[in-house]
Amino acid sequence: MNSAELDTWREAAAIAGHVREYVASLMKPGAKLIDLSLEGHRRIEELGGKPAFPLQISVNHIAAHYCAYVGDESVLAENDLVKVDCGVHVDGYVADTARTVDLSKDGRHAHFIAAAKGALEAAIETAGPGVDVVEIGREVDRVIRSHGLNPVRNLTGHGVGRWIIHRSPQIPNVPSGRGRLKAGTCVAIEPFATDGPGLIHEEGDAHVFMAKKTAKKVKGSDPAVLDAVRAFGGLPFGSRDLLLHHPYDAVADTLNALMRANQLMVYPPLCEKPGTFVAQFEHTIYVHDDGVEVLTANTEPSRKPAEAATRN
Ligand code: MN
Ligand code: MN
């Protein structure tokens, strides 16, 4: 990767880091998930980025992939344990980052936060060029268990690429898998800590989709919606991203037509056992020849809002 590419990646990551913290700062009992999500998107674009996937806010036993939808009445409540997962791209360079917020007054979820955050720190400490992903998983597993919790073993971190949100290697949260970190690549590391069994399953209606940017015209699809789908460039999008700009029937017909033609991936929420809690922390790192750089630790994008507007 050349230095201009890395700088673009750093910029996407700083926007993602900024918006992760910004949305976390807006979380309070009574806040609507859809409002927080749309405000996050607004801020991403104001800073000169684009969502690399719809901003996700997942509460309590929902580990990931809860995507608030148009008309979603879900609100945050006191004692919720809330994950914000934010993906940003600039010119296709994808950064992926998440954190967890404890909405209890008595800090009852502090050990979840300490476990997932500590595991991410330990994983980053272990990471470097040539490092076996099994060793990263071993550290994540060790730290989370030291807090009396379980790692979620069927969720993993992943490589990220240009216009690619998930690529090899997978970064496990337990000592398993195969692959090594390669210099010159970016990976997202994302430990999940839970008091449940540590296994998630798909549950509920999907509001996250993905189609190739070359998605073919299929019978029953609406041309304007199909163009909008292709414009995501092969990255995931939310039903809300389409419904805010296109009529319901056109969106539903197009998504159904793409699904029938096997041109649409569908991502429902990923849930632990009801009544349990899950915490997640995630950073995107760049692997240098001699160490790693935590790209999404930066929360100060260099492009000011006004500057971003003139450059678009
Ligand atoms: Mn993420
Ligand atoms: Mn990720």
Side-chain angles (χ1 to χ4, degrees), residues 2-15:
N2 66 42
S3 70
E5 287 179 298
L6 180 54
D7 279 344
T8 306
W9 224 316
R10 286 181 174 127
E11 189 59 24
I15 296 169

Side-chain angles (χ1 to χ4, degrees), residues 40-53:
H41 279 210
R42 191 197 62 73
R43 189 77 179 125
I44 288 169
E45 282 169 13
E46 185 176 58
L47 291 166
K50 287 195 175 145
F53 54 80

Side-chain angles (χ1 to χ4, degrees), residues 53 85 96-97 156-158 160 165-166 188-190 280 282:
F53 54 80
D85 196 344
D96 183 6
T97 184
T156 66
H158 47 92
V160 292
I165 179 70
H166 287 149
I189 304 180
E190 50 184 315
Q280 172 208 20
E282 177 177 26

